[in-house]
Amino acid sequence: MPPVINIQNATKRFGHKVLLDGASAAITDDHKVGLVGRNGAGKSTLCRAILGDEELEKGEVVLHPKTRLGYLRQHDPFLEGETVVGFLMRDSDQPDWKCGEVAARFEIKGAMLDAPVHNLSGGWQTRVKLTALLLHDPTFLILDEPTNFLDIRTQMLLERFLKSYKGGYLIVSHDRGFLKQTCNETLELSRGKLTLYPGSIEDYIEYRDERKLHDERVNAATKAKAKQLQRFIDKNRAGANTAAQAKNKQKQLNRLEYIEIEEDEASAYIRVPQVDVKKGTAVRCEGLTIGYPDRDVADGITLDIEHGARAAVVGDNGQGKTTFLRTLVGSLAPKSGEVKWGHNTDIGIYAQHVYSTLPANDTVEDYLLGVRDPSINHQQVLAVAGSFLFRGDDVQKKVKVLSGGERARLCLAGLLLGKYNILILDEPGNHLDVETVDSLCEALDDYNGTVIFTSHDRYFVRRIATQIIEVSGGKVTHIPSDYEHYLYRLSQEIEQEDGNQVAATISGEGRDADLAKEERKQRNKEARAARKEVNKLETKIAKLDDERKALNRKLMEITDPVEAQKIHEKFTAVADEIAELEGKWLKYQEQLEDFEEG
């Protein structure tokens, strides 16, 4: 299958920073690829090069002649006062009925089509952009951080769309959960090089870590062998009877080779403040009503959050999560009722309005020195800055030249220099790469204070949350189930909405709900055949997966580099076959789901 996108020896620099250094990769039209890499690694630059909007210094990006790229834009493409349908018609040059038909796939319908786009939330604006993208009838999609501003429900809707999309796509995202759900291949951009792995983001990270560990063990064994040979040579090369043996050992020593292992890229190592463990109620809401002078957002709020809790505040965008947090911390006054904090609580706040309004002319060092607890000395401040990747001359950078991700890290660093025993975190994972989110999770695991937070990153919430507070329908309540049950309930609601839409369409067109007898018979026959193929594929995939695991164990144990390379090649071949079979399994599974829904 010829590639739809062929990246050949791509090279690109910005100043002294090398983003692409002879990077190469080939992507075919059925690839569902997650593009990952550190903040600033050059992922967006690569996307622009593919689209033809960024000129390379060397190399080229070759597109198949029949490829039509669709790009989900991060910037705002809307005109002042433009309605949803007006933007879609202008952008796509399609009639209003066609725009409405495609928009309905993202639940944009009715009065919303005539609403000004700028009045919509960021999540709904992303849905509008996705609609515009599809109206251009692309054959391959490029989505740059598509989950930014999307609530969980909209992420699930986007996932369902992508799973049913027949073409290929390339997704840039730091959201590991989203990539796991939508991508079966992983493209990593690191140190200017591209590596394409036939597996999910989690499989890739596991393989990368295991491979590095294996290579380190091989090198350790090679080093031990080299020392042994060198000792023999040193002891025997001067002896008349042993000089020939020493010479032979020298040849063996010269033939030894080490596996080249790239040094790890700098990672944030986040330290947490050491605070006293407290018991009892951290905060109590009694008969609370939250909102603004012209409207109530939620009322009748009565709940307690205990010290040491990790409370995730969840709900769709626009339901009032941020309003609730702002009321808790006192930046928004309650409309009625009260918020009572426990004794000796010291609250640290992380939110977009905080890190977007940092003092522009302060340096990184100045800012951190200004917000630190008095007990923390200058050297400790620099150590914390370094743990958030502000090292060397970077601490002298002014806030106004920092990227969004750098400002987010700076704000978090300042928060953890404050020794707060309560942390209020509004979307702390935004602008942080996968590795930094992991480091933040580990830090919060060790933190013995209380955390109240919002996040649309399912991986982050799964790692951190010990209780769930839902903001929905004008109410804020503890929900008794865990986060997995909450996600399952959302998924069921989306399926129910889809079912209602289908039922309404059928009713509106006056169709008979039952299939004709012969059609039912044919569908049942096809369903049986599909189910048989699914079972066969599941058996084969399980067998190959056992083989893959056995090969991986061998890789971890073997010390001979030549044999290790052979096993690695076989491991890769088995992984490729599994990926191919899983693709077939998914197609048959989708057929079965169609039969069951029909």
Side-chain angles (χ1 to χ4, degrees), residues 129-247:
K129 292 177 188 178
L130 283 165
T131 302
L133 182 154
L134 289 188
L135 283 165
H136 288 278
D137 192 26
T139 59
F140 192 93
L141 307 180
I142 297 179
L143 310 181
D144 194 355
E145 295 291 353
T147 60
N148 278 359
F149 310 112
L150 297 188
D151 56 34
I152 301 299
R153 185 187 301 271
T154 309
Q155 286 185 33
M156 288 181 169
L157 193 67
L158 178 55
E159 285 170 4
R160 288 166 68 87
F161 159 71
L162 289 172
K163 287 177 180 178
S164 65
Y165 185 69
K166 302 304 181 186
Y169 48 75
L170 178 71
I171 298 177
V172 180
S173 180
H174 294 143
D175 188 331
R176 186 180 299 185
F178 183 78
L179 290 176
K180 181 181 177 182
Q181 289 294 321
T182 56
C183 298
N184 54 24
E185 301 198 25
T186 303
L187 183 64
E188 184 181 47
L189 177 56
S190 174
R191 293 185 177 86
K193 302 294 185 183
L194 289 168
T195 304
L196 185 62
Y197 175 79
S200 70
I201 176 66
E202 290 188 346
D203 289 340
Y204 175 70
I205 290 173
E206 180 183 358
Y207 165 75
R208 184 189 63 187
D209 292 345
E210 288 176 349
R211 183 64 196 171
K212 183 186 176 187
L213 181 60
H214 166 264
D215 289 348
E216 287 172 345
R217 288 176 175 171
V218 170
N219 283 350
T222 304
K223 186 176 181 180
K225 180 68 173 176
K227 285 183 178 180
Q228 181 185 9
L229 290 170
Q230 190 63 55
R231 281 196 299 268
F232 183 92
I233 294 165
D234 293 342
K235 183 178 179 181
N236 296 286
R237 61 183 160 192
N241 297 327
T242 57
Q245 289 179 295
K247 188 175 181 180

Side-chain angles (χ1 to χ4, degrees), residues 103-120:
R105 299 178 64 176
F106 296 102
E107 310 261 326
I108 303 170
K109 44 197 167 184
M112 187 173 286
L113 286 167
D114 296 316
V117 188
H118 282 296
N119 289 356
L120 303 181

Side-chain angles (χ1 to χ4, degrees), residues 308-313 423 425 428 437-447 449-455 457-468 483:
R310 306 288 191 269
V313 181
L423 296 180
L425 310 177
V437 168
D438 263 339
S439 186
L440 178 60
C441 288
E442 291 168 7
L444 293 177
D445 283 342
D446 294 336
Y447 177 60
T450 304
V451 183
I452 304 170
F453 70 99
T454 67
S455 178
D457 185 330
R458 282 163 285 178
Y459 171 81
F460 182 80
V461 179
R462 285 187 178 103
R463 280 284 307 268
I464 301 303
T466 60
Q467 59 185 261
I468 305 297
Y483 187 59

Side-chain angles (χ1 to χ4, degrees), residues 319-510:
Q319 291 295 307
K321 299 187 299 296
T322 299
T323 302
F324 175 58
L325 290 187
R326 289 185 62 198
T327 306
L328 284 185
V329 301
S331 66
L332 188 65
K335 298 196 71 175
S336 65
E338 60 181 335
V339 175
K340 294 180 179 179
W341 286 96
H343 294 296
N344 298 320
T345 54
D346 197 1
I347 303 170
I349 302 169
Y350 174 89
Q352 185 169 342
H353 72 275
V354 175
Y355 65 76
S356 62
T357 56
L358 297 176
N361 289 316
D362 273 9
T363 65
V364 168
E365 185 176 13
D366 291 338
Y367 173 76
L368 294 178
L369 287 171
V371 300
R372 63 175 168 165
D373 183 88
S375 65
I376 298 175
N377 63 39
H378 195 165
Q379 191 56 43
Q380 288 172 314
V381 168
L382 293 178
V384 170
S387 75
F388 279 88
L389 309 185
F390 296 110
R391 296 167 180 157
D393 293 340
D394 287 343
V395 297
Q396 299 306 321
K397 282 184 177 179
K398 290 197 172 185
V399 168
K400 62 185 178 184
V401 304
L402 300 180
S403 68
E406 287 172 326
R407 292 188 188 206
R409 291 204 308 273
L410 179 59
C411 189
L412 274 174
L415 196 65
L416 298 184
L417 284 169
K419 293 195 174 181
Y420 302 104
N421 55 25
I422 306 280
L423 296 180
I424 307 291
L425 310 177
D426 191 2
E427 294 291 345
N430 278 1
H431 306 296
L432 302 183
D433 56 36
V434 170
E435 289 77 10
T436 307
V437 168
D438 263 339
S439 186
L440 178 60
C441 288
E442 291 168 7
L444 293 177
D445 283 342
D446 294 336
Y447 177 60
N448 51 17
T450 304
V451 183
I452 304 170
F453 70 99
T454 67
S455 178
H456 293 147
D457 185 330
R458 282 163 285 178
Y459 171 81
F460 182 80
V461 179
R462 285 187 178 103
R463 280 284 307 268
I464 301 303
T466 60
Q467 59 185 261
I468 305 297
I469 296 172
E470 184 177 28
V471 183
S472 178
K475 301 296 177 185
V476 179
T477 54
H478 274 295
I479 59 175
S481 57
D482 60 20
Y483 187 59
E484 293 302 325
H485 282 90
Y486 171 74
L487 294 178
Y488 176 76
R489 194 190 79 200
L490 281 188
S491 178
Q492 293 298 105
E493 288 176 5
I494 292 171
E495 288 185 12
Q496 182 64 42
E497 289 167 3
D498 286 350
N500 290 343
Q501 185 174 342
V502 170
T505 301
I506 292 174
S507 175
E509 294 175 357

Side-chain angles (χ1 to χ4, degrees), residues 69-82:
L69 294 177
Y71 178 54
L72 180 65
R73 292 161 285 196
Q74 283 191 324
H75 70 274
D76 186 342
F78 314 118
L79 301 178
E80 187 65 32
E82 193 169 36

